[in-house]
Amino acid sequence: MRRTRALAGIGIATAALLALTGCNSGSPSNPGGGGDAGDGGDKPLFEVAKDVTLDGSPTFEHIQEAGKVTIGVKEDQPNLGYLDATTGERTGFDIDIARWIAASLGYDEDKIEFKPIASANREQAIVNGDIDYYVGTYSINDKRKEQIDFAGPYFITGQGLLIRKDDPEADKLEDFNGKTVCSATGSTPIQNIKANFPDIKTQEYDLYSACVQDLIDNKVDAVTTDQAILIGYAAQYPDEVKVTGGLFTEERYGVGLTKGDDVLRAHINDLFTENNDIWQGIFDKNLGQSGIEVEQPEVDAY
Amino acid sequence: MDVIFGNLDLWGEAIGNTLLVFLIGGLIALVLGIIVGAMRVSPVPIARGVGTAYVNIVRNTPLTLVFFFFVFGYPQLGLPDLSNTVLGILAIGIYTATYVAEVLRAGINTVPVGQAEAARAIGLPFGQVMTLVVLPQAFRSVVPPMMSVFIALLKNTTVAAGFSIAELAALRATINDAPGRPGNPMEVLLWVAIVFVVLVLAMSAVQRHLENKWRIAR
């Protein structure tokens, strides 16, 4: 009796396991070749380059050995770096920039592996060689340059504020004295507040989406980070939150690269410099409707 | 050493918060664990049922999820506002209480049943049987495993870093990105590991002391 029961248990477990793996086997594939990120049948924004050579770039050698490009990205930032959990589709400005760079190296969409990496771990992921490059609202600054190199900038924004829809507008950080402001652990905006606005209480999570959740739950009074990120959230939750005020700082987004890989950096900088129409196409597709007006910044070929 | 002396303020805050979560969380775990452990051996079927359900549900939930329920779930219940630190301490305390309860139950099982029967025979109620006769003997036999539970608790405090509690594990991100602060993530983590080793050595010393003090001649 006991034995049959055990066997029945194993049978049920196996069936469940099969069912689970069965669901999983049809994992979402995104065959959309070229640069078209799959939002319709338009012709691709950019072509995949052929027969690329980049002599003296250790990253490119690594890519060729692996036969694929591994790119660090964000996946919780609507319109910038976003993974749709139901369709498995990645969209956003940063994602398309990442695809564009991969295409310029000769690698199609199906040869790209995207790796989500939280803000605090980006430098280490690049130093360790876990990723070939990082495209994800990555502000260029001197401290980071000690560990890695940046290509770009490819986008300029600044620190902004996201508040609840029904709260009064605010255009300066002093308005939040005695209140709580949330941002990513160790991020530039939170350091700015801690250093210059000691009366503001801070909350820190690894992910901005956790901050937005806290804002909607009334646990914090504002979320601060780059305005481009905040606009994405405001578009995602239009009934709950809104962007307010102007920019407090200037943040220049670059592509994070292994330190010392000057060949790849020059390659990406040239790519950005020579193709203004492609940049504009990527911008219009992802951020055009948001109302922010940005021109392609000049690259800083240091 | 720059990573220490250039960031003394941060280290102070981080070690303080780690100890805060550990000490208060540990106190909650100990008190709640004793209550639940007693419930699991009590003669009242409902108390036994509640105790068993609590241990099995909470202990089988990953700590990160317990934190998630407290930090992101609690605010949606419309109850009074609590800070993340308080919610985190409750989460880790309630989680660790299940382990304390189980360790204690193992200890209670080592106390010869005649002890409890004798206590009942002289007319002591369940509460006194436990507090005066069974638990003091049970504690003696569970010092080493109990200390393991608390060492695990100490190390589990690092989970709190993901929930906006500025303890040791959160230091890495802060120092890494702060302009003008010396140190990179690997150095920070190395020193954090050293701090944990020192704290655990201190706890091992407490364990040795208790073992010597409570040694039973059998």
Side-chain angles (χ1 to χ4, degrees), chain A residues 71-77 79-82 91-98 101 114-120 122-123 126 131 133-140 144 150-151 154-155 157 208 225-226 228-229 252-257 272:
Chain A
I71 312 175
V73 290
K74 295 277 177 67
E75 57 182 25
D76 70 329
Q77 293 174 349
N79 296 326
L80 289 165
Y82 192 70
T91 52
F93 180 71
D94 285 338
I95 301 288
D96 281 344
I97 293 278
I101 296 170
F114 287 107
K115 265 194 189 172
I117 288 167
S119 291
R122 291 181 289 198
E123 286 84 43
I126 294 171
I131 53 177
Y133 55 91
Y134 190 98
V135 193
T137 63
Y138 203 2
S139 296
I140 301 175
R144 287 173 181 159
F150 285 101
Y154 61 90
F155 194 70
T157 180
Y208 292 114
T225 179
D226 305 339
I229 301 174
R252 306 150 66 82
Y253 288 167
V255 180
L257 303 170
F272 289 159

Side-chain angles (χ1 to χ4, degrees), chain A residues 165 209 212-213 216 232-242:
Chain A
K165 189 91 182 182
S209 40
V212 177
Q213 185 62 50
I216 294 170
Y233 286 116
Q236 197 181 24
Y237 304 103
D239 298 331
E240 282 99 359
V241 297
K242 64 183 176 192

Side-chain angles (χ1 to χ4, degrees), chain A residues 121 123 143-144 204 219, chain B residues 84 164 172 176-177 181:
Chain A
N121 304 336
E123 286 84 43
K143 173 119 193 201
R144 287 173 181 159
E204 299 178 31
K219 276 186 77 189
Chain B
N84 274 22
S164 195
R172 169 193 60 117
N176 183 38
D177 247 5
R181 284 196 182 274

Side-chain angles (χ1 to χ4, degrees), chain A residues 170-194:
Chain A
D171 55 5
K172 52 185 190 301
L173 281 169
E174 284 86 346
D175 294 346
F176 291 92
N177 281 346
K179 295 186 175 173
T180 314
V181 169
C182 186
S183 194
T185 313
S187 64
T188 330
I190 210 93
Q191 309 273 0
N192 176 26
I193 290 177
K194 281 185 174 169

Side-chain angles (χ1 to χ4, degrees), chain A residues 148-170:
Chain A
I148 60 160
D149 271 335
F150 285 101
Y154 61 90
F155 194 70
I156 295 187
T157 180
Q159 186 179 349
L161 282 168
L162 185 74
I163 55 173
R164 277 182 293 274
K165 189 91 182 182
D166 43 5
D167 282 355
E169 301 268 337

Side-chain angles (χ1 to χ4, degrees), chain B residues 41 60 105:
Chain B
V41 296
N60 291 339
R105 196 163 66 93

Side-chain angles (χ1 to χ4, degrees), chain B residues 109-132:
Chain B
N109 287 338
T110 67
V111 178
V113 78
Q115 294 277 330
E117 284 169 350
R120 267 203 299 281
I122 61 170
L124 295 182
F126 177 72
Q128 287 184 5
V129 173
M130 287 306 285
T131 53
L132 296 178

